Amino acid sequence: MQNYDVKKDLRDLFTAKKSFEVIDVPAMNFLMADGEGSPNTSQLYRDIVQALYATAYAVRARAIDELGRKHTVGPLEGLWWSDDLRAFTSRDEDSWQWRLMIVQPAWITRDLFEAGLKQAVDKKDPAAADRVRFDEFHEGPSVQVLHIGPYNEEAPTIARMHDDYMPHHSLKPRGSHHEIYLSDARRTAPARLRTILRQPVEPTGA
């Protein structure tokens, strides 16, 4: 059985350069769940991560059994926003709002998702299972860059993206700041963490 790996098969969307670039991100389906608060101290954050992965692996098992199609579970991703954008540069993490996501192959249907979610609840009963949903997300034109290092050192790169690169290319932000976590933080030294930082954009005249 051939295995589908989104990081390899959609390589242009799940790799990034160390310099800023603009890419066009198509509509894709995700498992997703929303929350708020510091990712470092919030129990809800940990519960949602657990629920997303439990569901993702259950959906993968259902796809193998029902469709004969196998895939590698995609990386964790996060959309981040706040009522006051200064909360990100000041690291006021308690005011952060976020949406955690795991991309799904095109053949994963809502019926497969619902069957997988039920299987995850029956087997592991994750605390935040009721927050997990299946939905489409279309990002479109976006600026992105690869950040290597601790998450709490991203702010200068994000500032350059917004204050330097975008104005010089007649772009302005829209939507939410997006991060794709290419490394497993449990097994990777902070200095070696690889994260795609992405921001949807539109022309300044729009």
Side-chain angles (χ1 to χ4, degrees):
M1 185 184 300
Q2 187 173 359
N3 185 65
Y4 173 86
D5 186 339
V6 69
K7 289 198 293 186
K8 296 178 180 178
D9 290 75
L10 296 179
R11 188 173 179 82
D12 57 329
L13 302 178
F14 289 89
T15 59
K17 300 175 182 177
K18 294 181 182 179
S19 56
F20 297 116
E21 60 180 337
V22 177
I23 66 168
D24 192 10
V25 185
M28 294 181 288
N29 290 327
F30 290 82
L31 305 183
M32 56 177 65
D34 296 354
E36 61 285 321
S38 170
N40 295 311
T41 60
S42 168
Q43 183 61 46
L44 177 60
Y45 185 91
R46 292 190 288 272
D47 288 344
I48 284 180
V49 171
Q50 180 190 34
L52 282 173
Y53 274 110
T55 306
Y57 278 101
V59 168
R60 175 181 182 270
R62 302 292 299 204
I64 293 172
D65 292 343
E66 297 182 21
L67 304 178
R69 304 192 74 163
K70 182 180 180 181
H71 68 273
T72 298
V73 170
L76 185 68
E77 306 184 36
L79 303 181
W80 299 85
W81 67 94
S82 175
D83 294 335
D84 183 354
L85 291 179
R86 290 173 297 181
F88 291 101
T89 53
S90 66
R91 305 297 296 182
D92 179 16
E93 298 181 359
D94 289 337
S95 69
W96 292 359
Q97 300 177 67
W98 35 265
R99 175 171 300 151
L100 299 182
M101 314 189 299
I102 298 177
V103 68
Q104 299 298 291
W107 59 83
I108 300 300
T109 63
R110 187 167 300 278
D111 285 345
L112 269 175
F113 156 69
E114 291 175 354
L117 179 60
K118 182 179 184 303
Q119 181 174 314
V121 170
D122 289 345
K123 288 190 173 182
K124 297 192 174 182
D125 193 23
D130 60 325
R131 290 182 178 247
V132 178
R133 65 186 188 277
F134 178 81
D135 211 347
E136 182 183 84
F137 178 54
H138 186 190
E139 205 158 25
S142 303
V143 176
Q144 70 175 23
V145 69
L146 179 66
H147 172 78
I148 300 177
Y151 302 133
N152 61 9
E153 294 181 4
E154 293 173 357
T157 301
I158 295 171
R160 290 198 306 273
M161 179 187 289
H162 284 258
D163 300 338
D164 185 12
Y165 184 87
M166 288 185 195
H168 280 81
H169 291 79
S170 300
L171 298 170
K172 62 181 180 180
R174 57 175 177 79
S176 300
H177 173 72
H178 185 176
E179 300 189 356
I180 303 175
Y181 306 105
L182 302 177
S183 306
D184 185 340
R186 299 169 302 174
R187 300 180 174 89
T188 307
R192 297 174 62 86
L193 290 170
R194 297 169 67 251
T195 308
I196 295 175
L197 307 180
R198 182 182 290 169
Q199 176 63 54
V201 293
E202 61 187 2
T204 52

